[in-house]
């Protein structure tokens, strides 16, 4: 029986991993994701989960361990935060190139210096070009759901790619919220067992990852690019199945909130979308036609879906919780890709970037009011005055 | 595009790698002294070289600025130089050569003996042999100049010197006088120049 | 946790060359140097371990030279690891087979999991992953094929490169005449000193094939992590005539540059201890990497080796003298 | 938004350039035939069956597994296709049953490998 409980995003991620019956888990402590592993450790110790729980000697080892496990045919799970995510950087590309569909659960944390436990998306965003599936949840419920959806998509033989399931540190990872846990029969119906392609084996020996010549590199890259063209369809199928089996209502790529008749829109991902949603309601009451587009997948990036969702809006404010120092708009990462996605529209919305929530700072309802004011002025003036606004600065 | 002459040098890893590298570097330097444009480089895929593996070194030579420098291979060599003669048994050394090419081998065996191992010798207009090992007997080994470094042990002190002498005589593309300013073993170079055996093929 | 029979392989010792398995698990057709010590090391190890083995190959010569252009010589399963993470990837593989066996998804005998790492992948950049694996008690054999340099990148110094060796990162010059000035790390002692889960550590060389194969088989028959340190002379990096590869390993033992021993459950057992050690110069004179050394440098090396030999002698139990019987 | 948006194009890896999925290849069986190494050789070992005692030291010394003991005929067999000519076996043979002979003295063993390794 499905049951509703109050739990944090960390517990929800662990519940998702348990529901997926992960087989090899590799841990290393770093705040704020640590509780995911604490919860899993209890489940293994209690015999609720038949898995190997390995204490990695660092994040680099964590990803390496799940690489080896996944290559051997086991469903593997790990996770990290902040500088832990970047410490493992070397192994992301072999993981994706070897087509090992393990999962990494990220609770975001600001990169050093100085040590800051607050949430910022730059940690996982900095891995976005390594060939992993990457996306953000906006609630503990969605963390649980994304854990299952990501395994289903990543392990699909049309995909076979590792996945990063991200949640904001503290806001999602540490604040309990209602989560409906699926019944194991629902999980079984949705998520088939992991079927590896040519795993390491004693009966059918294989070589994983031999050297290639430069002229063999381009076909390999092309094959991976081809895979990413196929991923959206798999995501659509998986999301539809998930909605049907678990009774949810996800848009596969972009949550569209009151966008139909919106003049201005916020483009956002992760936890702050909840404050944004209520702000949209408040702004609407004040007569401002606001809306919100919430991104669920950064990789693959839903170019067409965003163009369709936001094409009719007059001004879009990208609420960024990541940094891209010296980048084209001097803002975060999302604005570049959103602007590029809208470029080919006949009538493009005006786009600016709002640097907000950095270092884990709260984004207040009043901040959204201010952003709405900026966007409304842009609409009035019919121009983008600044590429970027630092909220509160 | 300017005409680019391609010279491919075949040698063996580690034990004769430095000598092969010397051949291309000396040849290119000598050509540059005459105002020609020349490029000399290791085959990147052959690195890191292993003891006795066949490895390739390339020279590209032109009267004008070489427009396209970023290639991995000489596709159509006009001149092929074999630093270690056994290589002819195991590799199609004339691969990509157009009719009328030149082959220069470091060996004390006869030209006809060597041709027995080259089924596509009809591509050749000229075959030459030089007994570079007999002339100097020196094979320098030095890794400092590999991977784009600079050879600390100098240049042209071993079999490369007579081989380059022979190449100057056979190709006519570089001057012996220029070689004498570059190589460490000038007399070895001059002996290579004068002792090279040349055969013109029909 | 409940005891579970993972069907670990038990490999009997080999009595002679003729009794060694005829099957080649590391087959010919690879781009290693003519006369490559590490390749011989790989071949003998694979032969001893048999086909139900999974090799983890961290980056190094035994990755790049062996698996060139999608052709590999491993007749058993093999996976590339980064030079950094051989121990960690092996941990994941071992753990996966354990859980798959418990869940009935893998029913055959448990594979021999062997990391074949170079010296850099063992005691330099790979040290952390190796140590983590050993601490966690994974049933993995970690082999260091020691060719005493980063050979694949063109012979750069590693922590096991001996004092006085010329490498492309330690070229001898006016200011630094001896080339390498540091003394090497001691890989097996690093393992023995700090890893209580490890019950078996041994050293051997490619010139002692039966010893090597039996140490591999013994290590694989242990239920936990094991470590083998194998001297694999490198004709390119050490600059000796490639036909002398085995000769170099033999001379290393005869001069005390290398000691052959087993460490099992806390006890040392030394083998091939020469009655009288040859001077280290006998070993160094064949190798171009030492050609620039002056007598004072060789003396410094001799002193270092003498010190090590002393500790070898301390670890060999003195035989209890038996009283002569009166006629 | 009347205009149609661009697509992502199609990617077709030419058949002759295709690489295996995830760079996973099947393991070789007896030899890696795609990688013959006989062309590394300058000399080859020639054996004298009279002097050979079948001690198997050559077999245990070869990095390239180029000596095989044929039990039925009680003979050592040399693997010409892969011997790199390192001469370890010649150097190690305790009875002098092996000698090095220049490869160019033999008319056989000519190969024309497509990719020079």
């Amino acid at each position: 029986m499905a049951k509703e409980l109050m739990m944090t995003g960390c517990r929800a991620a662990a519940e998702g991993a348990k529901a997926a019956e992960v087989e090899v888990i590799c841990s290393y402590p770093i705040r704020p994701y640590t509780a995911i592993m604490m919860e899993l450790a209890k489940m293994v110790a209690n015999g609720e989960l038949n898995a190997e729980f390995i204490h990695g000697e660092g994040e680099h080892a964590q990803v390496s361990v799940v690489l080896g496990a996944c290559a051997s045919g086991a469903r593997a799970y790990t996770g990290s935060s902040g500088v832990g995510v970047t410490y493992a950087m070397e192994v992301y590309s072999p993981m994706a190139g070897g087509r090992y569909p393990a999962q990494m659960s990220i609770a975001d944390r600001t990169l050093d210096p100085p040590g800051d436990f607050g949430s910022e998306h730059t940690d996982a965003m900095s891995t976005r070009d390594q060939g992993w599936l990457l996306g953000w949840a906006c609630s503990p419920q969605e963390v649980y759901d994304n854990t299952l959806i990501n395994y289903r998509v990543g392990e699909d033989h049309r995909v076979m790619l590792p996945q990063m399931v991200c949640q904001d540190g503290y806001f999602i990872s540490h604040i309990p919220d209602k989560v409906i846990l699926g019944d194991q029969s629902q999980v079984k119906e949705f998520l088939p067992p992991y079927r590896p392609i040519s795993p390491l084996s004693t009966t059918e020996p294989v070589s994983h990852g031999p050297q290639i010549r430069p002229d063999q590199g381009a076909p390999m890259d092309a094959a991976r690019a081809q895979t990413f063209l196929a991923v959206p369809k798999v995501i659509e199928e998986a999301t539809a199945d998930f909605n049907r089996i678990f009774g949810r209502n996800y848009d596969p790529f972009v949550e569209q909130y009151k966008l139909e008749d919106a003049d201005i829109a916020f483009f956002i991902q992760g936890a702050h979308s909840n404050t944004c949603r209520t702000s949209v309601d408040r702004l609407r009451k004040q007569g401002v036609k606001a809306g919100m587009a919430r991104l669920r997948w950064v990789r693959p990036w839903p170019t067409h879906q965003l163009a369709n969702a936001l094409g009719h809006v007059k001004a879009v404010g990208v609420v960024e919780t990541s940094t891209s120092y010296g980048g084209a708009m001097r803002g975060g990462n999302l604005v570049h890709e959103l602007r590029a996605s809208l470029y080919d529209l006949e009538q493009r919305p005006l786009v600016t970037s709002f640097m907000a929530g950095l270092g884990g700072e709260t984004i207040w309802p009043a901040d959204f009011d201010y952003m709405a004011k900026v966007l409304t002025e842009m609409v009035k003036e019919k121009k983008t005055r600044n590429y970027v606004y630092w909220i509160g600065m | 595009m300017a005409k680019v002459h391609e010279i491919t040098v075949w040698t063996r890893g580690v034990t004769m790698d430095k000598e092969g590298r010397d051949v291309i570097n000396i040849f290119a330097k000598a050509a540059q002294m005459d105002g020609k444009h020349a490029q000399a480089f290791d085959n990147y895929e052959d690195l890191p070289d292993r003891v006795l593996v066949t490895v390739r070194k390339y020279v590209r030579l032109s009267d004008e600025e070489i427009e396209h420098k970023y290639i991995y291979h000489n596709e159509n060599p006009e001149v092929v130089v074999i630093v270690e003669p056994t290589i002819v048994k195991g590799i199609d050394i004339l691969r990509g050569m157009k009719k009328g090419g030149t082959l220069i081998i470091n060996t004390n065996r006869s030209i006809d003996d060597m041709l027995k191992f080259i089924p596509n010798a009809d591509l050749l207009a000229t075959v030459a042999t030089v007994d570079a090992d007999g002339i100097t007997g020196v094979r320098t080994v030095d890794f400092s100049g590999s991977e784009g470094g600079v050879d600390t042990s100098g240049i042209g002190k071993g079999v490369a010197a007579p081989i380059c002498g022979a190449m100057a005589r056979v190709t006519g593309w570089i001057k012996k006088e220029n070689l004498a300013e570059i190589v460490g073993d000038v007399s070895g170079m001059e002996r290579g120049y004068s002792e090279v055996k040349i055969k013109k093929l029909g | 946790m409940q005891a579970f029979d993972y069907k670990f392989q038990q490999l009997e010792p080999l009595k002679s060359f003729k009794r060694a398995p005829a099957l080649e698990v590391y087959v010919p057709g690879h781009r290693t140097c003519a006369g490559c010590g590490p390749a011989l090391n790989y071949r003998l190890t694979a032969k001893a371990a048999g086909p139900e083995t999974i090799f983890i190959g961290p980056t190094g010569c035994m990755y790049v030279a062996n698996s060139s252009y999608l052709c590999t010589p491993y007749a058993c399963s093999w996976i590339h690891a980064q030079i950094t993470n051989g121990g960690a990837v092996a941990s994941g593989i071992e753990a996966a087979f354990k859980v798959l066996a418990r869940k009935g998804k893998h029913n055959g005998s448990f594979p021999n999991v062997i990391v074949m790492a170079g010296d850099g992948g063992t005691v330099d950049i790979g040290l952390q992953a190796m140590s983590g694996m050993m601490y966690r008690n994974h049933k993995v054999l970690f082999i260091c094929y020691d060719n005493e340099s980063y050979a694949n990148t063109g012979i750069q110094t590693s922590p096991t490169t001996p004092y006085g060796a010329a490498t492309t990162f330690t070229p001898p010059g006016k200011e630094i005449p001896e080339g390498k000035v540091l003394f090497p790390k001691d890989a097996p002692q690093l393992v023995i000193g700090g890893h209580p889960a490890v019950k078996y550590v041994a050293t051997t060389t490619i010139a002692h094939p039966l010893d090597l194969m039996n140490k591999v088989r013994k290590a694989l028959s242990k239920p936990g992590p094991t470590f083998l340190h194998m001297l694999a002379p490198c004709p390119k990096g050490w600059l000796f005539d490639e036909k002398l590869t085995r000769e170099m390993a033999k001379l290393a033992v005869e001069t005390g540059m290398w000691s052959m021993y087993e460490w099992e459950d806390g006890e040392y057992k030394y083998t091939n201890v020469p009655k009288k050690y040859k001077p280290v110069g006998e070993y160094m004179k064949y190798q171009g990497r030492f050609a620039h050394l002056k007598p004072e440098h060789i003396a410094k090396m001799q002193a270092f080796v003498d010190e090590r030999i002393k500790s070898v002698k301390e670890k060999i139990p003195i035989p209890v003298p038996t009283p002569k019987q009166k006629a | 938004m009347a205009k149609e948006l661009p697509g992502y194009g199609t990617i077709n890896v030419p058949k002759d350039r295709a690489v295996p999925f995830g760079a996973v290849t099947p393991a070789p069986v007896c030899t890696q035939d795609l990688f013959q190494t006989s062309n590394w050789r300058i000399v080859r070992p020639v054996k004298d069956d009279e002097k050979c005692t079948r001690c198997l030291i050559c077999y245990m010394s070869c990095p390239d597994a180029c000596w095989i003991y044929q039990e039925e005929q009680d003979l050592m067999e040399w693997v010409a296709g892969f011997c790199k000519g390192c001469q370890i076996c010649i150097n190690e043979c305790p009875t002098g049953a092996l000698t090095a002979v220049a490869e160019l003295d033999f008319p056989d063993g000519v190969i024309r490998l497509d990719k020079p390794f």
Side-chain angles (χ1 to χ4, degrees):
Chain A
M1 274 288 284
K3 51 186 170 180
E4 187 180 297
L5 297 162
M6 289 296 283
M7 65 176 72
T8 62
C10 280
R11 175 75 192 185
E15 289 287 353
K18 181 188 163 195
E21 293 176 357
V22 295
E23 291 164 324
V24 174
I25 301 159
C26 194
S27 68
Y28 187 79
I30 183 168
R31 290 189 74 205
Y33 107 104
T34 317
I36 300 178
M37 291 299 166
M38 286 159 53
E39 295 306 291
L40 283 166
K42 283 183 252 181
M43 295 169 186
V44 172
N46 295 336
E48 293 169 52
L49 181 60
N50 188 1
E52 286 283 310
F53 191 94
I54 296 170
H55 308 120
E57 68 276 8
E59 292 81 4
H60 188 278
Q62 282 183 278
V63 184
S64 307
V65 164
V66 295
L67 187 153
C70 205
S72 309
R75 185 171 281 161
Y77 188 79
T78 188
S80 193
S81 292
V83 288
V85 179
T86 46
Y87 181 54
M89 193 60 109
E90 184 197 23
V91 204
Y92 294 135
S93 147
M95 189 85 170
R99 314 304 289 267
Y100 303 121
Q103 191 173 118
M104 189 160 182
S105 210
I106 310 287
D108 296 305
R109 172 174 173 177
T110 306
L111 297 175
D112 292 356
D116 175 357
F117 292 128
S119 174
E120 202 177 285
H121 295 179
T122 316
D123 53 1
M125 281 300 270
S126 59
T127 71
R128 71 194 183 279
D129 297 332
Q130 303 293 321
W132 287 47
L133 305 182
L134 175 68
W136 264 261
C138 78
S139 64
Q141 179 69 67
E142 198 176 357
V143 170
Y144 173 84
D145 298 346
N146 279 2
T147 303
L148 297 172
I149 293 171
N150 271 268
Y151 268 126
R152 159 89 178 253
V153 174
E155 290 173 0
D156 190 292
H157 280 198
R158 292 166 289 177
V159 179
M160 291 301 274
L161 287 171
Q163 320 104 43
M164 252 181 218
V165 176
C166 307
Q167 55 178 304
D168 293 69
Y170 173 62
F171 301 122
I172 309 285
S173 72
H174 280 53
I175 298 182
D177 202 347
K178 274 187 225 160
V179 175
I180 304 166
L181 297 180
D183 184 83
Q184 211 49 26
S185 68
Q186 288 174 305
V187 176
K188 272 215 166 66
E189 188 188 345
F190 175 70
L191 181 64
Y194 170 40
R195 291 171 300 120
I197 301 173
S198 353
L200 298 171
S201 143
T202 48
T203 48
E204 287 168 59
V206 283
S207 293
H208 279 231
Q211 280 264 310
I212 55 169
R213 285 189 310 270
D215 65 306
Q216 291 168 318
M220 275 211 69
D221 290 358
R224 279 159 72 180
Q226 214 168 19
T227 299
F228 266 93
L229 295 184
V231 178
K233 186 160 179 281
V234 183
I235 291 178
E236 277 166 19
E237 286 170 16
T239 313
D241 279 356
F242 192 85
N243 288 343
R244 177 176 56 78
I245 296 166
F246 291 85
R248 294 285 198 267
N249 192 23
Y250 289 115
D251 183 289
F253 299 100
V254 186
E255 179 195 336
Q256 300 175 39
Y257 188 69
K258 300 197 175 167
L259 275 181
E260 302 84 11
D261 61 340
D263 288 334
I264 61 165
F266 299 105
F267 179 59
I268 196 166
Q269 67 176 6
H272 297 299
S273 64
N274 298 307
T275 319
C276 184
R277 211 180 285 112
T278 53
S279 296
V280 165
D281 294 343
R282 191 178 56 255
L283 287 161
R284 287 250 167 195
K285 274 184 200 143
Q286 294 162 10
V288 182
K289 280 186 167 178
M292 178 187 81
R294 179 175 70 87
L295 187 65
R296 277 172 43 79
W297 296 86
V298 175
R299 289 290 179 274
W301 182 271
T303 314
H304 290 162
Q305 289 86 345
L306 286 171
N308 287 330
L310 292 170
H312 64 282
V313 174
K314 290 180 182 134
V316 181
V318 182
V319 186
E320 308 258 25
T321 311
S322 67
T323 51
S324 176
Y325 298 111
M329 269 84 232
R330 304 295 193 272
N333 279 305
L334 294 177
V335 66
H336 305 139
E337 302 208 28
L338 184 75
R339 274 184 162 246
S341 308
L342 303 178
Y343 183 84
D344 285 290
L345 293 172
E346 246 160 33
Q347 273 216 305
R348 288 189 288 268
L350 303 166
V351 180
T352 192
S353 172
F354 295 116
M355 297 298 277
L358 293 163
E361 203 174 35
T362 296
I363 308 183
W364 300 94
D367 294 331
F368 282 102
D369 292 347
Y370 168 75
M371 293 182 229
K373 212 174 108 205
V374 171
L375 291 172
T376 311
E377 271 167 28
M378 280 165 64
V379 174
K380 216 182 282 167
E381 292 180 8
K382 290 189 178 150
K383 74 175 209 190
T384 307
R385 193 183 289 272
N386 289 318
Y387 287 134
V388 57
Y389 294 82
W390 281 74
I391 300 305
M393 298 293 137
Chain B
M1 246 205 252
K3 164 83 181 157
V4 177
H5 301 287
E6 297 181 351
I7 303 172
T8 297
V9 176
W10 286 89
T11 185
R12 290 200 183 272
V14 182
T15 54
M16 284 159 271
D17 185 67
K18 154 84 172 142
E19 293 298 342
R21 189 164 64 240
D22 277 7
V23 170
I24 55 161
N25 286 334
I26 294 166
F27 196 95
K29 246 188 202 165
Q32 282 158 355
M33 286 167 75
D34 274 343
K36 287 185 181 160
H37 295 267
Q39 211 188 332
F41 54 102
D42 287 332
N43 179 305
Y44 190 61
E45 289 175 12
D46 289 347
L47 296 171
D49 59 324
R50 316 288 174 182
V51 174
L52 294 189
V53 72
T54 53
V55 293
R56 293 156 288 181
K57 318 274 171 185
Y58 300 126
V59 180
R60 302 176 83 221
L61 199 66
S62 179
D63 291 332
E64 295 165 49
E65 181 80 42
I66 296 171
E67 287 158 45
H68 187 205
K69 288 180 181 168
Y70 303 134
I71 56 158
Y72 281 96
H73 305 280
N74 272 352
E75 297 291 345
N76 307 107
E78 283 170 61
V79 177
V80 170
V81 179
I82 307 293
V83 178
E84 198 289 306
T86 320
I87 290 170
V88 300
K89 272 191 86 171
I91 297 277
D92 180 5
I93 45 162
L94 304 184
R95 191 162 186 234
M97 182 182 272
K98 292 181 180 140
K99 235 174 154 49
T102 301
L103 175 65
I104 303 168
I105 308 174
N106 163 25
T107 183
N108 56 6
R109 293 180 189 243
S110 76
I111 288 176
D112 289 334
D113 263 6
M114 297 311 293
L115 284 176
K116 278 192 282 189
F117 295 112
I118 304 168
N120 48 353
D122 59 315
L123 293 169
L124 295 168
T126 312
V127 189
T129 59
V130 58
D131 183 14
D133 279 295
I135 291 169
T136 86
V138 174
R139 289 170 178 179
T140 15
V141 175
D142 180 2
F143 302 143
S144 60
S146 67
E147 304 282 1
V150 175
D151 285 292
T152 46
S153 56
I155 189 166
K157 291 182 171 170
V159 293
I163 290 173
C164 284
M167 286 168 76
R169 169 105 171 267
V170 175
T171 63
W173 289 344
I174 49 168
K175 292 201 190 93
K176 191 172 73 159
E177 298 68 43
N178 290 344
L179 286 178
E181 288 184 37
I182 303 165
V183 299
D185 179 6
V186 177
S187 73
M189 182 277 293
E190 295 204 338
R191 279 187 63 190
Y193 187 88
S194 56
E195 291 175 25
V196 60
K197 297 189 184 103
I198 304 172
K199 182 173 179 173
K200 296 278 174 192
L201 302 177
Chain C
M1 220 184 280
Q2 278 180 334
F4 182 88
D5 178 15
Y6 289 108
K7 297 190 207 163
F8 294 142
Q9 296 176 53
Q10 289 300 314
L11 303 167
E12 295 301 315
L14 306 168
K15 296 264 160 45
S16 67
F17 289 174
K18 282 215 168 90
R19 299 280 176 82
L23 184 73
E24 299 293 345
V25 181
Y26 174 80
V27 305
H30 41 81
R31 201 176 179 271
T32 63
C33 286
C36 174
L40 176 55
N41 182 94
Y42 222 131
R43 181 184 156 229
L44 294 172
T45 301
K47 192 181 251 316
E52 289 192 302
T53 297
I54 294 170
F55 276 111
I56 292 92
T59 309
C61 268
M62 290 301 99
Y63 167 52
V64 176
N66 277 328
S67 73
S68 313
Y69 321 133
L70 296 169
C71 313
T72 74
Y74 319 103
C76 60
S77 275
W78 168 88
I79 183 171
H80 170 230
Q82 304 309 112
I83 190 166
T84 46
N85 66 2
V89 172
S91 302
I93 292 170
E94 185 257 14
F97 275 92
K98 274 190 171 162
V99 66
L100 293 176
R102 283 206 304 274
K103 288 183 152 188
K105 293 184 185 178
H106 172 78
N107 297 311
S109 55
F110 200 85
N112 298 316
V113 182
I114 305 177
V115 184
M116 188 64 90
D119 32 302
T122 305
V123 293
D124 210 2
I125 194 168
L127 180 59
Q128 175 172 315
M130 174 182 78
S131 178
M133 179 278 286
M134 289 172 169
Y135 152 72
R136 290 189 301 259
N137 198 20
H138 293 283
K139 190 195 160 352
V140 171
L141 165 56
F142 199 107
I143 295 178
C144 171
Y145 68 89
D146 193 351
N147 58 1
E148 300 184 343
S149 75
Y150 284 96
N152 191 52
T153 37
I155 322 300
Q156 288 83 28
T157 183
S158 89
T160 64
T161 305
Y163 163 82
T167 70
T168 53
F169 279 3
T170 57
K174 236 187 339 200
E175 279 296 314
I176 313 169
E178 64 264 67
K180 172 144 177 173
V181 293
L182 303 171
F183 285 90
K185 282 191 189 179
D186 191 330
Q189 291 305 315
L190 274 171
V191 175
I192 292 169
H195 300 90
V198 179
K199 304 293 183 203
Y200 183 74
V201 172
T203 67
T204 184
T205 86
I206 50 126
H208 305 81
L210 211 54
D211 180 88
L212 185 151
M213 288 192 288
N214 282 332
K215 282 172 177 164
V216 168
R217 288 167 80 86
K218 192 170 190 178
L220 289 172
S221 302
K222 301 278 176 189
T226 46
F227 179 73
L228 293 179
H229 192 208
M230 301 177 167
L231 183 66
C234 170
K236 177 178 176 181
W238 302 10
L239 289 167
F240 60 81
D241 190 335
E242 61 273 13
K243 66 175 173 243
L244 299 178
T245 303
R246 268 170 57 107
E247 209 94 12
M248 286 307 108
K250 278 184 262 183
L251 271 170
V253 174
E254 286 163 11
T255 53
M257 291 288 296
W258 188 267
S259 298
M260 285 177 60
Y261 62 85
E262 275 183 311
W263 177 86
E264 196 174 4
D265 300 324
E267 295 287 326
Y268 284 92
K269 196 176 130 200
Y270 279 80
T271 57
N272 302 66
V273 181
K275 284 212 174 73
K276 190 175 182 308
Y277 286 95
K278 288 180 180 169
V280 291
E282 287 297 301
Y283 170 72
M284 296 163 91
K285 71 180 181 190
Y286 291 98
Q287 300 175 27
R289 60 175 173 162
F290 296 123
H292 59 285
L293 293 185
K294 301 205 168 61
E296 64 261 33
H297 303 134
I298 296 172
K300 207 169 161 187
M301 174 70 102
Q302 187 67 60
F304 174 75
V305 170
D306 287 347
E307 189 63 31
R308 238 183 9 197
I309 292 167
K310 225 172 25 183
S311 76
V312 169
K313 285 180 178 149
E314 278 159 14
K315 283 175 190 150
I316 299 171
I318 302 155
V320 183
T322 45
K324 274 180 189 168
Q325 283 186 337
K326 279 174 187 169
Chain D
M1 215 189 29
K3 197 171 134 191
E4 203 179 316
L5 293 168
Y8 299 110
T10 48
I11 303 165
N12 289 311
V13 178
K15 269 215 172 80
D16 61 330
R17 295 194 66 190
V19 284
F21 183 82
V24 175
T25 60
V29 181
C30 292
T31 51
Q32 178 48 271
D33 293 328
L34 296 168
F35 216 112
Q36 287 196 47
T37 47
S38 63
N39 58 357
W40 294 38
R41 214 160 51 225
I42 300 175
V43 297
R44 70 165 72 165
V46 174
K47 70 183 162 110
D48 179 343
D49 286 330
E50 298 290 300
K51 284 188 187 167
C52 173
T53 61
R54 323 304 189 247
C55 69
L56 303 190
I57 285 177
C58 54
Y59 164 68
M60 282 295 171
S61 308
C62 181
D64 297 276
C66 287
W67 284 107
I68 298 168
Y69 176 56
Q70 294 295 2
E71 209 156 3
E72 278 182 25
Q73 298 109 311
D74 186 36
L75 281 175
M76 295 308 296
E77 183 196 328
W78 176 63
V79 183
F82 293 94
C83 172
K84 292 174 185 158
C86 71
Q87 306 185 55
I88 292 179
C89 55
I90 300 170
N91 190 55
E92 295 291 334
C93 179
T95 62
L98 295 172
T99 39
V101 182
E103 185 60 36
L104 284 172
D105 290 347
F106 300 91
D108 67 312
V110 178
I111 53 166
R112 288 281 179 269
L113 293 179
D114 187 34
K115 297 271 181 206
F117 290 118

